[in-house]
Amino acid sequence: MTTEEEAVRRAWQEWHQQRLDVVRAPYGPLSVTGTHWLAGADAEGRLADVPGRWFPSGDGVRVHADILEGLVHRGEPLVGGVLLVPDADDPAATRLAHGERRWELLRREGEWAVRVHDPDAAARRAFSGVRTTPFDPRWALRGTFRPYGERRTVRVANADGRERGLELAGSVEFVLPGGGSAGLRVSSVGSGALWAVFADATSGGTSCRFRFLRTGVPAGDGGVTVDFNRSTLPPCAFSDHFLCPFPPPGNTLGVPVPAGERDVA
């Protein structure tokens, strides 16, 4: 093994350990115990098993509570009301605490929900690891990003049984280890990196029914590394309360991809 190959393998091992740390963190995906849609609140803004009263208000949500309900905002007891407005630079802007639990807002297609994180969740206590294929350099592929002229939105099923829009920025094309061209339709995240939801011939068998794959920012000529060793389980593999999108049309590879995270151990 060359020095470069050793460095690549070591980088993957560090990534894998960091990934496990994120998964089992106190407020990581294993801690999610509920997602409550504000559309289901009663006339007083109350949700089952959720303290306070919750009301959509413009670009945010107004929450009312009294001292006995035990909600805390930015370290101070919430008495009266507060408007929670999403701020990309300040995640705490839409968080409330209730003992060790954390309540945070999310929005999908104009609908608000409050998600509950509990460090003492049964799934987190029972977690024993993620089945992951050892690093295989053959599955770190060179790809080419081909952006669409304009972004497209397709409707896809989500893990909660609803259908939602998935915005796509283009496709990434690559050659599989055994030969043969393939590609994935990808979304673009804020940094310019790419993200795909995909399935393959192992999905639902020796691996989860679908997985996520993230890349770096494409080079000026569209070149990008498509490293299936870094494919990950979707959050809904760790908790039933996530909304993960299923693969869009065209993102089911007809070959096995024996690389990356496989399933929860």
Side-chain angles (χ1 to χ4, degrees), residues 22-243:
V22 168
V23 167
R24 60 190 171 208
Y27 297 100
L30 289 163
S31 74
V32 174
T33 58
T35 296
H36 305 272
W37 293 95
L38 269 59
D42 65 18
E44 295 184 349
R46 294 197 178 277
L47 296 159
D49 302 319
V50 178
R53 295 180 293 131
W54 303 72
F55 302 94
S57 179
D59 292 330
V61 170
R62 183 165 292 280
V63 185
H64 294 268
D66 61 44
I67 190 66
L68 296 178
E69 289 178 290
L71 287 174
V72 174
H73 181 239
R74 296 188 183 278
E76 298 293 333
L78 177 57
V79 180
V82 64
L83 179 64
L84 305 180
V85 179
D87 183 343
D89 298 322
D90 183 13
T94 55
R95 289 178 183 165
L96 295 173
H98 187 260
E100 292 298 313
R101 291 185 293 174
R102 176 184 292 170
W103 311 78
E104 62 182 14
L105 292 181
L106 64 92
R107 192 179 195 183
R108 294 292 186 276
E109 298 187 327
E111 294 187 49
W112 290 100
V114 56
R115 177 169 285 163
V116 186
H117 290 262
D118 184 353
D120 194 42
R124 184 168 180 261
R125 286 186 277 108
F127 179 69
S128 61
V130 174
R131 286 191 285 271
T132 306
T133 304
F135 180 81
D136 184 343
R138 295 176 301 169
W139 284 98
L141 312 175
R142 290 301 300 166
T144 301
F145 173 53
R146 304 196 183 283
Y148 297 142
E150 58 184 26
R151 295 194 179 192
R152 306 173 186 176
T153 299
V154 296
R155 304 294 293 180
V156 297
N158 282 216
D160 66 342
R162 297 180 62 177
E163 187 178 272
R164 297 183 178 88
L166 178 65
E167 188 177 84
L168 301 171
S171 64
V172 170
E173 300 173 0
F174 46 87
V175 176
L176 295 165
S181 298
L184 293 173
R185 304 173 78 183
V186 295
S187 301
S188 177
V189 298
S191 64
L194 306 175
W195 169 72
V197 189
F198 78 96
D200 66 280
T202 71
S203 298
T206 57
S207 71
C208 185
R209 53 184 172 171
F210 61 93
R211 292 180 280 170
F212 287 176
L213 177 67
R214 291 174 173 81
T215 77
V217 178
D221 62 357
V224 66
T225 299
V226 183
D227 190 353
F228 283 98
N229 292 287
R230 299 196 183 204
S231 56
T232 62
L233 298 177
C236 56
F238 303 103
S239 170
D240 292 335
H241 301 287
F242 283 100
L243 316 178

